[in-house]
C-alpha cells in the first residue's frame, strides 16, 4: 500500500472542498482532495440537452460574501461571472391564483395586494419595536412580531421555500438568517440596521458584495471546471471507496480504495471534511457516538426539481426572475424559476426554460411519487399559473433526498458538537453546509476563511 504525505487531506470535492484545495495549494500547502464520486463539484452540474442548458443542482448563487467576489477575481481568466438580464428583475409571489410582483420600493409596497393594510401601517413602527430576547426565536415568530402575519405568509414563507425548502416555524433565525438576526440585535431594527450598515466604512472588496444573483457563462459547471484546472492533477483522488481516517500522535492517516482497486494511505497533519453530516461517522470512525450523533442527525429537506423546456413558448409573459408559492396557497409546488429569462443561451430564442421545485420540509412525501405523477402535477401547475397547456420539448425529474440541511433548533447542539470535536481532535475540521450557511457564497466564504487561517498557522 503506497503511502503519501501531504499537509492537508480534504474529504469531499464539492464547492467547499474545491475552493479549499485551490487556496491552500495557492498558498504553498500540499493537498490531497478525496472524493467518493467519479466527478467533482458535488451538487453542481450543468447539462446541455436538446438546445437547452440547465442546472441539476443550484441554479444560481448570490454575490453575498467577500469570498465569492475574490474567487471570481482569482478565476477571471478561466470562467466568466454573469448576472441576470435586467428584464428578469421582477420576482413574483402567487396570491389567489395570480402572480403579484414582490415590492421593490416604498410606492410598490404601499400598493401591493400581498400585505394587509394593517401590516403596511405596522412597518412604520418597526424601528421603534423592542428587540427580541429569545436567542432561539424562530423566523416565523420574529417576522410576526416585527412585521405582521401577512409579511410572514406572502414574503418570508415563500422566500424560505425558495432558499431552504424549509418551514419558517422551525428554522431558528440566528442560524438560518444570521444577518437578519444581527440587524435586530445590534441596531434594534431591520430598517435602522439597514440604514446604519450602508453608512459604515467598507473595504474595496466589501463594496463589491452587491447581493446580486449570479451564474457563470455556459453554466455553473464551468466554475467547477475552472477550480479543477487550477488544482494539481496528482492532488485529486476521485471515485474513492471505503474512505477511512484514523488519528494518531503525529496527525492522521486516510485510507481509501480507488475504482481500479488500488489502495492508498495518505498521511497528513490535518483533515477537513466538507460533506453532509450523515456520512461523517463512516469516514471518521474514531469519533465517539456522543459527539457524532448531533452532526449525523442533521435534518435535510427532500426536494424534487423538474426541468421543463419549450422551444416555442405560448404561455404568460415570463420576463421575470421566477415565482414563489406561499404555503397558504396550498399548491403542490414550491416555486418556478425562469433560467431561460435570467441568462442568455439557456434555451431557444422564442422558447422558455423552467425549473420547478416540489416537496421540501412541508411536503416531503412528494419525493416518492413516480416521475409520471410529478410531471403531470407540474404541467398542471404550469397550465394554471402560467397559462401554458402545450407539451414541453424537454421534461426531466431529479430527486434530492438530502438536498438542504435545516438550521432548526437542533443546530445549537450540532454546532456545539462540531466545536467539541475540533477542540478534542486537533487538526480535524468539519466544514461544508452543516454549518455557516447553505448558499454558494457561504460555501466559498467558509473555505476562504479556513484556508487563510490554516495558511496563517504556517
Amino acid at each position: 500500500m503506497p503511502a503519501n504525505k501531504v499537509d492537508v487531506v480534504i474529504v469531499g470535492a464539492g464547492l467547499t472542498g474545491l475552493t479549499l484545495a485551490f487556496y491552500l495549494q495557492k498558498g504553498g500547502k500540499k493537498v490531497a482532495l478525496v472524493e467518493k464520486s467519479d466527478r467533482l463539484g458535488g451538487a453542481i452540474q450543468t447539462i446541455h440537452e436538446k438546445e437547452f442548458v440547465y442546472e441539476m443542482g443550484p441554479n444560481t448563487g448570490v454575490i453575498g460574501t467577500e469570498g465569492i467576489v475574490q474567487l471570481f477575481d482569482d478565476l477571471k481568466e478561466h470562467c466568466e461571472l454573469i448576472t441576470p438580464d435586467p428584464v428578469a428583475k421582477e420576482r413574483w409571489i402567487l396570491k389567489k391564483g395570480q402572480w403579484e410582483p414582490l415590492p421593490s420600493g416604498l410606492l410598490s409596497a404601499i400598493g401591493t395586494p400581498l400585505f394587509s393594510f394593517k401590516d403596511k401601517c405596522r412597518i412604520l413602527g418597526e424601528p421603534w419595536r423592542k428587540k427580541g430576547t429569545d436567542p432561539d426565536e424562530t423566523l416565523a415568530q420574529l417576522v410576526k412580531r416585527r412585521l405582521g402575519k401577512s409579511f410572514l405568509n406572502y414574503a418570508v414563507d415563500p422566500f424560505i421555500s425558495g432558499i431552504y425548502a424549509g418551514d419558517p416555524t422551525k428554522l431558528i433565525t440566528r442560524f438560518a438568517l444570521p444577518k437578519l438576526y444581527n440587524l435586530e440585535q445590534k441596531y434594534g431594527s431591520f430598517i435602522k440596521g439597514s440604514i446604519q450598515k450602508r453608512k459604515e466604512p467598507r473595504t474595496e472588496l466589501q463594496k463589491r458584495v452587491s447581493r446580486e444573483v449570479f451564474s457563470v457563462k455556459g453554466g455553473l459547471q464551468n466554475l467547477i471546471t475552472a477550480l479543477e484546472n487550477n488544482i494539481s492533477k496528482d492532488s485529486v483522488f476521485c471515485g474513492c471507496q471505503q474512505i477511512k481516517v484514523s488519528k494518531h500522535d503525529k496527525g492522521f492517516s486516510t485510507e481509501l480504495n480507488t475504482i481500479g482497486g488500488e489502495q492508498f494511505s495518505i498521511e497528513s497533519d490535518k483533515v477537513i471534511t466538507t460533506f453532509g453530516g450523515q456520512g461523517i461517522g463512516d469516514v471518521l470512525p474514531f469519533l465517539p457516538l456522543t459527539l457524532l450523533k448531533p452532526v449525523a442527525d442533521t435534518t435535510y429537506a427532500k426536494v424534487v426539481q423538474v426541468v421543463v423546456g419549450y422551444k416555442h413558448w405560448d404561455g404568460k409573459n415570463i420576463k421575470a426572475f421566477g415565482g414563489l408559492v406561499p404555503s397558504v396557497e396550498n399548491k403542490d409546488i414550491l416555486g418556478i424559476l425562469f433560467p431561460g429569462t435570467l441568462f442568455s443561451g439557456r434555451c431557444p430564442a422564442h422558447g422558455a426554460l423552467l425549473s420547478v421545485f416540489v416537496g421540501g420540509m412541508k411536503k416531503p412525501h412528494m419525493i416518492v411519487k413516480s416521475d409520471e405523477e410529478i410531471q403531470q402535477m407540474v404541467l398542471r401547475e404550469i397550465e394554471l399559473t402560467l397559462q401554458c397547456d402545450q407539451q414541453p420539448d424537454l421534461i426531466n425529474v431529479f430527486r434530492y433526498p438530502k438536498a438542504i440541511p435545516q438550521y432548526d433548533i437542533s443546530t445549537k447542539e450540532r454546532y456545539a458538537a462540531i466545536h467539541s470535536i475540533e477542540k478534542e481532535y486537533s487538526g480535524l475540521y468539519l466544514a461544508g453546509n452543516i454549518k455557516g450557511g447553505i448558499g454558494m457564497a457561504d460555501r466559498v466564504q467558509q473555505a476562504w476563511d479556513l484556508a487563510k487561517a490554516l495558511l496563517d498557522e504556517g
Side-chain angles (χ1 to χ4, degrees):
M1 181 184 292
N4 300 275
K5 178 69 171 75
V6 299
D7 297 309
V8 184
V9 166
I10 301 166
V11 186
L15 183 58
T16 310
L18 283 164
T19 305
L20 262 168
F22 171 67
Y23 279 116
L24 286 172
Q25 234 176 41
K26 191 177 179 184
K29 294 290 185 183
K30 191 172 182 182
V31 174
L33 182 59
V34 176
E35 169 59 46
K36 69 177 183 179
S37 172
D38 59 1
R39 56 173 294 276
L40 305 181
I44 297 174
Q45 188 172 3
T46 305
I47 306 296
H48 296 252
E49 183 180 356
K50 295 182 179 179
E51 300 180 58
F52 298 95
V53 180
Y54 62 87
E55 307 289 356
M56 270 186 62
N59 279 257
T60 60
V62 175
I63 307 172
T65 64
E66 297 166 69
I68 197 74
V69 175
Q70 186 63 57
L71 182 64
F72 276 108
D73 278 357
D74 292 333
L75 295 175
K76 63 185 176 183
E77 302 298 324
H78 308 277
C79 65
E80 182 181 345
L81 179 145
I82 57 173
T83 53
D85 189 307
V87 303
K89 283 187 175 181
E90 206 168 69
R91 297 169 186 245
W92 296 344
I93 303 291
L94 193 72
K95 186 170 186 179
K96 296 179 180 178
Q98 299 294 319
W99 294 111
E100 303 289 349
L102 191 65
S104 57
L106 180 60
L107 288 178
S108 57
I110 292 171
T112 182
L114 291 173
F115 312 130
S116 69
F117 177 75
K118 177 184 176 183
D119 286 345
K120 289 176 186 177
C121 293
R122 277 175 58 85
I123 284 288
L124 299 175
E126 193 275 338
W128 292 276
R129 290 196 178 89
K130 291 181 180 179
K131 67 181 180 181
T133 57
D134 179 6
D136 294 330
E137 187 175 38
T138 68
L139 189 54
Q141 289 170 329
L142 172 69
V143 173
K144 283 198 289 187
R145 177 170 57 78
R146 295 206 71 86
L147 303 175
K149 189 174 181 180
S150 66
F151 279 90
L152 171 62
N153 287 342
Y154 285 98
V156 174
D157 173 270
F159 171 76
I160 290 301
S161 289
I163 301 298
Y164 277 95
D167 182 346
T169 68
K170 299 288 194 297
L171 295 175
I172 304 301
T173 310
R174 69 183 170 113
F175 298 125
L177 294 178
K179 291 179 181 177
L180 184 68
Y181 176 79
N182 291 331
L183 277 182
E184 186 192 29
Q185 293 302 305
K186 184 175 180 179
Y187 303 101
S189 158
F190 302 153
I191 294 173
K192 286 193 295 187
S194 298
I195 293 170
Q196 282 298 116
K197 289 284 284 183
R198 285 197 290 268
K199 294 179 180 178
E200 292 175 355
R202 294 179 292 168
T203 65
E204 288 304 311
L205 201 59
Q206 288 170 338
K207 290 175 183 176
R208 294 169 59 202
V209 178
S210 63
R211 304 297 307 171
E212 275 190 290
V213 168
F214 76 84
S215 183
V216 172
K217 187 174 182 180
L220 290 169
Q221 182 71 49
N222 287 341
L223 171 60
I224 300 303
T225 301
L227 283 164
E228 181 180 359
N229 290 340
N230 281 276
I231 298 169
S232 174
K233 302 296 182 196
D234 60 6
S235 299
V236 179
F237 299 81
C238 274
C240 299
Q241 306 300 314
Q242 299 177 333
I243 304 167
K244 301 284 183 186
V245 177
S246 58
K247 179 82 170 76
H248 51 73
D249 291 343
K250 294 182 180 180
F252 300 88
S253 295
T254 302
E255 296 184 4
L256 56 94
N257 294 341
T258 66
I259 291 177
E262 188 176 6
Q263 292 182 315
F264 275 89
S265 178
I266 307 173
E267 300 296 315
S268 65
D269 300 320
K270 303 181 189 303
V271 167
I272 304 169
T273 64
T274 67
F275 53 89
Q278 295 177 0
I280 286 179
D282 293 333
V283 173
L284 306 174
F286 59 87
L287 291 182
L289 185 60
T290 51
L291 283 180
L292 179 64
K293 192 173 186 305
V295 183
D297 287 349
T298 301
T299 301
Y300 289 83
K302 300 174 181 178
V303 176
V304 181
Q305 178 186 7
V306 185
V307 176
V308 191
Y310 301 84
K311 292 182 180 179
H312 297 279
W313 174 255
D314 292 328
K316 177 181 173 66
N317 186 331
I318 53 172
K319 299 297 183 185
F321 185 94
L324 292 170
V325 180
S327 301
V328 293
E329 291 295 306
N330 198 30
K331 288 283 187 179
D332 288 327
I333 62 173
L334 299 173
I336 308 175
L337 191 67
F338 307 144
T341 305
L342 284 170
F343 307 113
S344 63
R346 302 295 171 100
C347 66
H350 299 289
L353 178 64
L354 315 177
S355 281
V356 186
F357 297 92
V358 176
M361 292 302 294
K362 292 187 176 181
K363 295 187 176 181
H365 60 280
M366 291 292 186
I367 201 164
V368 300
K369 289 183 177 292
S370 69
D371 281 6
E372 185 179 359
E373 287 176 301
I374 291 172
Q375 288 175 4
Q376 289 177 354
M377 178 182 68
V378 164
L379 292 178
R380 182 175 66 248
E381 293 294 352
I382 290 173
E383 181 177 356
L384 289 171
T385 62
L386 297 176
Q387 291 84 58
C388 177
D389 61 359
Q390 65 195 100
Q391 285 300 303
D393 298 287
L394 170 78
I395 183 164
N396 287 326
V397 177
F398 302 102
R399 291 173 170 79
Y400 306 97
K402 297 176 185 175
I404 307 169
Q406 298 298 294
Y407 285 60
D408 54 19
I409 192 63
S410 68
T411 307
K412 180 166 55 174
E413 193 177 354
R414 181 168 78 245
Y415 276 23
I418 292 170
H419 176 75
S420 296
I421 289 168
E422 292 180 346
K423 184 178 180 181
E424 185 165 340
Y425 299 92
S426 179
L428 175 63
Y429 300 87
L430 272 56
N433 62 16
I434 54 175
K435 67 176 185 181
I438 62 169
M440 292 178 65
D442 298 319
R443 299 295 83 248
V444 169
Q445 185 68 37
Q446 182 190 71
W448 192 52
D449 288 340
L450 183 52
K452 284 194 296 182
L454 295 180
L455 292 171
D456 287 345
E457 288 179 7

